Amino acid sequence: MGTDRKHNLALLMRLICAGGPVTRVELARRAGLSTVAVTNLVTELIEAGVVADLGAVPASGPGRPAGRVAAAHEGPVGLGLCFDVDYVAGYVVDLRGRPRHRELRRATLAGTEPAEAVRAARPVLRRLFEQAVTTDRLVAGVAVAVEGVIEHDRDGYPTVHRAPSLGWRDADLRALVERELAALGAHGVPVQIGGGAGYAAAAEDVEEGSALYVGGEAELGAVLVSAGAAHRGAAGAAGLLGHVPVRHRGRSCPCGLRGCLDAYAGRRAMAAAVGVGEGAVNRLLTGEDPFGRRLRAGQEAAAAAAELAAHRLADALAGPLAVLDPEVVVLGGRLAALGEPFAGPLRRRLADHHPWTLLRPGRRGPDAVLLGAARGALAEVLADPVGWADRAP
Ligand SMILES: [Zn+2]
């Protein structure tokens, strides 16, 4: 019984946070529960401070006026933090996953020690917390996205096994971030570490039964999303696709190997092909990626680089597609923003291997990794809203 209640609370919380104001009757219909059960459970969510009662609206037909509820505007927020080669950035998102605030700091992080990178993140973290606190919101957690292989031990403790673009190996990033938060006076705020593509995939709200999400920032990642959940793998390390070999004795890759997918379809490789800097800072500041601008303007070198990248990506995906047979390939983040000049050649090449697999752009826009991480920081609230509120300070 207790498990049912917890399951149903999480289900209602997810339905309420997925959209705008909704009536209890409509929630009951969507959840497949009785209106009485929903009314009781929603009362618990309101008392926990995560759902707001918006009061009755005049009924359009006969019967009692319908009372609507919505995710609490003043409810907890999640903080997402992303370390990339030349910046550290963060987002604050609300319960509905909508961005409330963004911070960005340029810093050369490639080749730095993790401790140094976390120090560079200090002003970003401070401003994100200030934003949450000045609006009187509780920070439910901080989720840090790193492009790399994140291992989780038996107890779920994460370690950055390797992050090739940053040059990190076996880094206890969680302890470093926790120390930084303690210095800001944010003691006990849970910190999670994950791969960028994993967070972005989890935030994608995939409605299909199964999807292979392909995205990432500096490096390419791919994660299977099945029944609404991103597959993390046995060690929680699934996701890094960028260093899968696609060419024997191919281009050299910063990871030390040759012929990696990233050497053709990674952000750095595509930018280098048109002679622009690889950073995402430009895009985060102006909303436009210099490579994407050249591609849309029809520049030949950009079109050739996009086609080559699309073909190499399709080759790298042939194995996962053959084995997993997902309904759809979701192209997320910066790849989706490249539009048809990239998606077209990819679709055609994928059709050679797997003609029934559909390809569609993601819904989270170019900042998918950052937004996904911030939403990930709210996972505990969404999974156990009442329990979370009981434990919250
Ligand atoms: Zn590599």
Side-chain angles (χ1 to χ4, degrees), residues 326-337:
E327 276 176 50
V328 63
V329 171
V330 176
L331 209 50
R334 74 173 175 92
L335 295 179

Side-chain angles (χ1 to χ4, degrees), residues 6-7 82 84 99 108 144 210 216 233 239 275 309 361 379:
K6 197 177 159 190
H7 169 87
C82 180
D84 205 331
T108 304
V144 184
S210 61

